[in-house]
Amino acid sequence: MRSETAPAIRLEDYQQPAYRIDTVHLTIRLQPNETEVVCATSVASRDGTDAGAPLILDGDELTLVGIALNGKALDEGAYSVTPERLEIHTPPAEPFELVITTRINPDANTKLMGLYRSSGTYCTQCEAEGFRRITYFLDRPDVLAVYTTRIEASSKDCPILLANGNPVDAGRIENSDRHFSVWHDPHPKPAYLFALVAGDLARVADGYQTMSGKQVDLNIFVEHGNEAMCGWAMDSLKRSMKWDEETFGLEYDLEVFNIVAVSDFNMGAMENKGLNIFNDKYVLADPETATDQDYANIEAVIAHEYFHNWTGNRITCRDWFQLCLKEGLTVFRDQEFTSDMRSRPVKRITDVRLLKSHQFPEDAGPLAHPVRPRAYHEINNFYTATVYEKGAEVVRMLKTVLGAADFKKGLDLYFERHDGNATTIEAFLTCFEDATGTDLAQFALWYEQAGTPVVSVKTRHDPGNRTFTVDLAQEIPPVPGQKNSKPALIPLRFGLVAANGEDMETGAADGIEIANDTMLLEKARQKVVFSDVPSKPVLSLLRGFSAPVRLDQHQSEDELELLAASDRDPFNRWQAVQTLAMQELLRLTQLARSEKPLTPSQSVLDLFGTVLQDAELDPALKALALTLPSEADIAQEIGKDVDPDAIHQARQRLRAEFALTHRSALLKALTDHMPTGTYSPDAQTAGKRALSNRALHYFAVSDAEETAQRVWERFSNADNMTDRISCLTLLVHDGMPKRNEALKAYRLRHENSSLAMDKWFMVQATAPGSDTLKLVRSLKSDALFDETNPNRVRALLQSFATGNPTQFARVDGTGFEFIVESVLEIDKRNPQVASRLLTSFRSWRALESKRCALAESALLKISSCEELSRDSRDIIDRTLQ
Ligand code: BES
Ligand code: ZN
């Protein structure tokens, strides 16, 4: 049987640290497999700590070389040490200097946490608990210290030496081929924000003048040869800096801001103070290898990490339960930035799609947890869609509930009151209460309760009384381990749409508080009566997706068509089209399930035709409206007894019928909207490209010979990655005759770009069709597959498990078995990557019984494995619970 699981860490057990660490002087002597770390700290007991209370420092796979207190080596009996823990039994009552020397092996660090090497470059990742893999420390976010870092390394291998803060000294080390540099970061910070980089990197330099006139050096460090791919990231950085000044009055606070791109990185990017480290896919771009989506992602991730300088770094988290304090707020900020840089409605729709496809299923499955969890076994497993995306929604609701002006007041107070603190969600909310006099006790439940509330809606119009009644009710469906959920405060933006498509003016509403077109639902049930409503309106509810809830509302086809055509809220126009498409897909799936003929309804086809030919609609919005709900979305909507094959059939059928019905309009759209001239990643041009490619996506299923030829030509002639990869996807996913030729040509062209080759792996892994699994297995042995590179693992394995519902959940169970095998292999080297991959099973209970049983036995195989990382053990236990 498997080993016992360690007890959970609980929010309610939080205690202040017994000791402070005020300053840290690190000397790091880099060697590939024998790096020496000397960590000199000034330590003092905190008020309230008993005299002589033991000092217990965290470690992880560390080797202690020496330890001295106030300049004297400690006697053996004065401390005890393991690789995971260093205890000094009775430290002095007065402040003291502690010098700890450890030895670590960057080359052997395959977990990519702590100090490791990526393509020869030394780099670090310390969030959440990686600093303890460098030295023994109070590795918790409420211990803030001022760091000075001296790096020593070979001059030849590591001409570039970087750490947090400002550079203060550098030079050669006498009688050696080594050199050093010293960095000082004046801003107290927790250990998770520590970083260093050393290697032979190219530098792209620029500058920025802050609003108070200070000059900041901006640098992006990349592998030699990639300099020309940094322009977009640098431009995004400068726009982020300007935006944060203009929008929130927040200015940068060091003399340099450095970004380093590395190719082996567990996450997307990391906000280390003054030295952000990025997965290179969120830095490098040129039209040849990056899609419009890549450009948009780079802009957003650069902004996100930059914005953390205030929301995360200057004001940090007291403990890891407060993760959403920095992540939810910073995601909200980067979403706002993108909305201002690009199209607000397009951004909103994109974000809601992400929320519904990632966070809603998480909230509905065994891994559900509140935005602020109360317990965890492994904190790395809580960097989730719930903490991030729902966390951002909660901040957005706060703005909706308070109004923009009061929201700003509260946030200003937060920055003023908590600058330099490690703080909590309560303290954050108190700022809004104090600044505005609002009681946010009920609002705070959004942080406490897991599960997506369902808001049910019933309406009736009484022509005699000229009243319009809306019955609202809210409920959170059962969540594992959560009893008696309470009603949340749900802001519902709305309008009453008249037959002419315009919002009606009505009399007062009874039974609910309304401000700024928003109803505030606060009870389990509320009856709202509008007076002076002359004719029957169509209720457009949850405009802009004003709350992360599901609506249970029946609207007729006519009503939805009215909203689709003329709701003044662009989000709800899009939503109405999607709702109609979803209803049709559910009906077709049902038919497929019972092996009946699939005949798509004419009205949905007509609606899609109307959208396609709407001359007013912004191309980007049109492309989104014409995107059918994904197979995963449909599965989620069905909720139980899911048959992925039936869903796939239904969706393909609707796509094909739409293509057939609107062939000429599609052809026109795909040519009319194809941008000409030099490639530009701006939102408008990207929107046109998206529409042109969306049209091609339908067109491609219509008629074999001629269409296949057209796709092939467009693939061959593409002058940018967006067009090339969408054509390649069609060639491969629709099994066109030239699919193999296209894959070969693509590979030849992009062999030397690992980011472009990730796409090559991903396209194949997500192809529907029963031969895909065999192909994916063989790709795992391809010379270009690299199990040590997280991006490559995600491109092949994660995208198979999460982006190929019919083949992952094959009815013979081999898809599950394949992922289980892969998880077990990867878990030995990189637990974080393995446990992420394992979350692809999170909706297994919703599958029809046969697949469900197969998923369970695959999961049990993992569970019975004795040597499982804490990361994967945590996920497997909760998934099977
Ligand atoms: N602080 C995180 C990076 C991180 C995540 C470190 C998990 C350690 C564990 C960073 O700010 C972040 O949130 N990055 C995101 C991208 C962002 C745009 C949402 C990521 O890495 O996915
Ligand atoms: Zn973040």
Side-chain angles (χ1 to χ4, degrees), residues 271 304-305 308 327 388:
E271 70 265 26
H304 177 97
E305 305 310 337
H308 268 314
E327 294 301 349
Y388 276 67

Side-chain angles (χ1 to χ4, degrees), residues 61-227:
E61 301 187 69
L62 288 178
T63 305
L64 182 69
V65 175
I67 177 164
L69 202 151
N70 288 335
K72 258 193 68 205
L74 266 190
D75 290 340
E76 287 221 346
Y79 67 94
S80 51
V81 66
T82 70
E84 281 75 47
R85 187 174 184 275
L86 172 64
E87 174 176 332
I88 297 169
H89 301 313
T90 26
E94 296 303 308
F96 57 95
E97 298 296 317
L98 185 65
V99 180
I100 292 173
T101 305
T102 49
R103 197 161 44 230
I104 54 180
N105 184 346
D107 262 4
N109 184 351
T110 60
K111 296 184 178 169
L112 313 190
M113 282 296 278
L115 176 67
Y116 65 97
R117 292 222 296 170
S118 171
S119 310
T121 297
Y122 294 92
C123 60
T124 53
Q125 171 56 40
C126 292
E127 187 178 2
E129 298 178 334
F131 192 70
R132 61 185 65 181
R133 293 169 60 76
I134 296 174
T135 185
Y136 291 101
F137 203 76
L138 290 175
D139 189 8
R140 43 187 289 170
D142 56 355
V143 172
L144 308 188
V146 170
Y147 285 66
T148 307
T149 307
R150 177 185 165 101
I151 312 169
E152 299 181 8
S154 146
S155 317
K156 182 172 143 289
D157 298 343
C158 302
I160 301 288
L161 304 175
L162 308 169
N164 311 96
N166 300 314
V168 291
D169 194 10
R172 299 191 14 206
I173 299 175
E174 281 187 27
N175 303 320
S176 79
D177 54 3
R178 293 168 69 81
H179 69 152
F180 72 92
S181 93
V182 181
W183 295 74
H184 178 73
D185 178 5
H187 301 282
K189 65 166 174 289
Y192 84 85
L193 290 173
F194 170 80
L196 85 78
V197 168
D200 186 0
L201 297 169
R203 176 169 85 121
V204 174
D206 207 327
Y208 180 82
Q209 188 172 41
T210 69
M211 60 185 184
S212 71
K214 279 178 285 187
Q215 194 60 37
V216 182
D217 291 338
L218 309 179
N219 299 300
I220 300 182
F221 294 89
V222 293
E223 278 177 30
H224 290 283
N226 287 339
E227 295 90 327

Side-chain angles (χ1 to χ4, degrees), residues 113 125-128 192 265-271 282 297 300-302 304-305 308 323 326-327 330-331 334 380 383 388-389 832 836:
M113 282 296 278
Q125 171 56 40
C126 292
E127 187 178 2
Y192 84 85
F265 201 71
N266 283 346
M267 302 296 296
M270 178 64 207
E271 70 265 26
Y282 294 121
N297 290 344
V301 180
I302 293 267
H304 177 97
E305 305 310 337
H308 268 314
L323 183 58
K326 75 178 177 83
E327 294 301 349
T330 304
V331 171
D334 81 54
N380 281 319
Y383 289 76
Y388 276 67
E389 264 65 50
Q832 272 186 54
R836 282 264 153 176

Side-chain angles (χ1 to χ4, degrees), residues 27-39:
T27 302
I28 303 190
R29 303 196 170 94
L30 292 169
Q31 299 276 11
N33 39 40
E34 277 219 316
T35 288
E36 184 185 80
V37 178
V38 183
C39 179

Side-chain angles (χ1 to χ4, degrees), residues 291-292 655 674 689-698 700 711-712 714-715 718 720-734 736 746 759 763:
T291 60
D292 293 330
R655 174 187 171 209
M674 178 140 172
R689 242 186 319 268
L691 179 53
S692 175
N693 282 315
R694 182 52 36 191
L696 183 69
H697 161 87
Y698 288 105
V711 177
W712 167 255
R714 181 150 152 157
F715 167 78
N720 65 81
M721 182 53 97
T722 307
D723 291 341
R724 187 176 305 127
I725 202 69
S726 44
C727 293
L728 184 68
T729 306
L730 291 174
L731 284 153
V732 174
H733 288 199
D734 289 321
M736 296 188 180
Y746 184 103
K759 301 184 202 300
V763 165

